[in-house]
Amino acid sequence: MNAVDISGSAVESTTTEEAEERLGERIRALRLSKNLDQSAVAERAGVSLRTVKNLENGRGSSVATLVRVVRALGRSEWFDALQPAVAISPLRMLAQERRDVTPQRASRPRRTPRPETGASIEGGDR
């Protein structure tokens, strides 16, 4: 199964560096489509100009930086693809399934206690 990138196109097996470059290209294209220069984006995001340049060139960036720049460009919805809404907790569903399916076992006939004979096994006469 192929993963899907932010633009919605399928992503084949790529290296981390290739994924970072592709993301940087998308951020650059978005910035240019909004007619913003790198310094304006840096200011809006609260990061340095060098940080925006590195991000657009696919050279390492922290998640916090990525979030700030994407928000500054008005594309917070990109993160929805990474964190889809969950209607019910998967752990809760599993717990409910376990409660609903009680294992059934055949019962053994119960032993009836032996009548007391009065003799003690442990403390008998020697």
Side-chain angles (χ1 to χ4, degrees):
M1 182 161 98
N2 292 336
V4 176
D5 70 8
I6 291 173
S7 69
S9 62
V11 178
E12 297 299 322
S13 297
T14 60
T15 66
T16 300
E17 292 79 17
E18 291 169 335
E20 286 176 325
E21 286 176 16
R22 186 174 301 122
L23 183 58
E25 290 167 3
R26 296 244 169 22
I27 289 173
R28 180 182 295 115
L30 178 59
R31 176 181 59 79
L32 293 173
S33 74
K34 293 183 172 283
N35 198 27
L36 295 169
D37 61 15
Q38 289 176 325
S39 59
V41 172
E43 186 177 326
R44 285 183 180 188
V47 298
S48 70
L49 175 59
R50 170 63 40 217
T51 298
V52 172
K53 288 181 179 186
N54 285 341
L55 183 60
E56 287 187 5
N57 289 318
R59 284 187 244 127
S61 180
S62 70
V63 174
T65 298
L66 176 62
V67 169
R68 287 178 179 169
V69 170
V70 169
R71 282 184 175 160
L73 292 169
R75 292 294 182 184
S76 295
E77 73 273 4
W78 281 5
F79 299 116
D80 292 341
L82 301 174
Q83 55 183 10
V86 178
I88 185 169
S89 162
L91 293 176
R92 250 195 192 157
M93 283 177 41
L94 184 59
Q96 184 62 43
E97 285 175 13
R98 286 183 179 163
R99 274 185 246 131
D100 291 345
V101 180
T102 309
Q104 299 294 319
R105 296 184 181 166
S107 61
R108 295 184 196 173
R110 293 190 174 222
R111 293 184 186 173
T112 56
R114 293 184 186 172
E116 294 287 325
T117 60
S120 171
I121 296 174
E122 293 178 18
D125 293 317
R126 292 182 188 209

